[in-house]
Amino acid sequence: MLKRKGTKTNNVKKINSAYVKQQEQHLERKQREKKLLIRRLVAFGVLFSIIVGTLLLYFFQQQTIHSEKESEYEQLQSELQAQLEEKEELEREVELLNDVDYLLQIARKDYFFSKEGEIIFTLPEEEEEPSY
């Protein structure tokens, strides 16, 4: 006999018995269960991906906020240090202003306050070079 390529002939007959029907139903049930399993796995995979994506997004946002807060904290620390130094300087100045000798020295320097019999001469500041 000659067989043609590309054409298949099904010469096998199915046996119509209860056992064969039971096996076919069992195979159909297995295929349906397999489809349902695949659908559930896909659904859980999508849900898992959404949850992981959301958590990653939240993590990166928190990391950005944290870095901003750290830089702000460092800036505030430097400002605090500057304020503390200024406070110490002002306290030192308050102590000096309570001293009578210091007040007299300032008065003599800034307001040309002199003692009795004293003559005050003001000299120009030496910022400019003398012309020869």
Side-chain angles (χ1 to χ4, degrees):
M1 278 188 153
L2 293 172
K3 289 187 178 180
R4 293 185 198 168
K5 290 185 178 178
T7 58
K8 292 185 178 181
T9 57
N10 193 1
N11 294 334
V12 179
K13 298 279 184 177
K14 290 186 178 181
I15 301 174
N16 289 329
S17 70
Y19 176 75
V20 172
K21 287 181 183 180
Q22 184 182 8
Q23 288 300 318
E24 286 176 353
Q25 289 174 353
H26 180 69
L27 287 175
E28 287 175 12
R29 192 175 338 114
K30 287 288 186 184
Q31 286 176 349
R32 276 185 290 177
E33 288 175 2
K34 189 175 181 181
K35 282 183 183 179
L36 287 174
L37 176 65
I38 290 172
R39 286 180 186 166
R40 277 184 272 168
L41 287 175
V42 168
F44 284 126
V46 168
L47 182 64
F48 179 76
S49 298
I50 290 172
I51 290 172
V52 168
T54 304
L55 289 176
L56 284 174
L57 180 65
Y58 180 73
F59 173 75
F60 288 123
Q61 286 176 343
Q62 291 298 318
Q63 194 174 25
T64 304
I65 290 171
H66 179 65
S67 64
E68 289 172 358
K69 293 292 182 183
E70 275 187 342
S71 63
E72 182 180 352
Y73 176 76
E74 291 173 3
Q75 179 186 3
L76 290 174
Q77 283 293 86
S78 64
E79 288 179 16
L80 175 65
Q81 190 64 33
Q83 292 293 329
L84 289 175
E85 290 173 2
E86 184 180 353
K87 178 186 172 197
E88 288 176 8
E89 184 178 321
L90 290 173
E91 286 176 351
R92 198 172 334 116
E93 189 175 335
V94 166
E95 276 184 34
L96 289 174
L97 288 175
N98 287 332
D99 185 21
V100 175
D101 292 333
Y102 180 74
L103 286 174
L104 287 175
Q105 182 182 1
I106 291 177
R108 293 179 81 200
K109 178 182 169 190
D110 293 340
Y111 303 109
F112 306 113
F113 182 74
S114 63
K115 295 180 182 178
E116 285 186 31
E118 193 175 48
I119 301 174
I120 298 175
F121 294 99
T122 57
L123 300 174
E125 295 183 16
E126 295 185 19
E127 292 179 8
E128 299 178 13
E129 293 184 19
S131 59
Y132 293 104

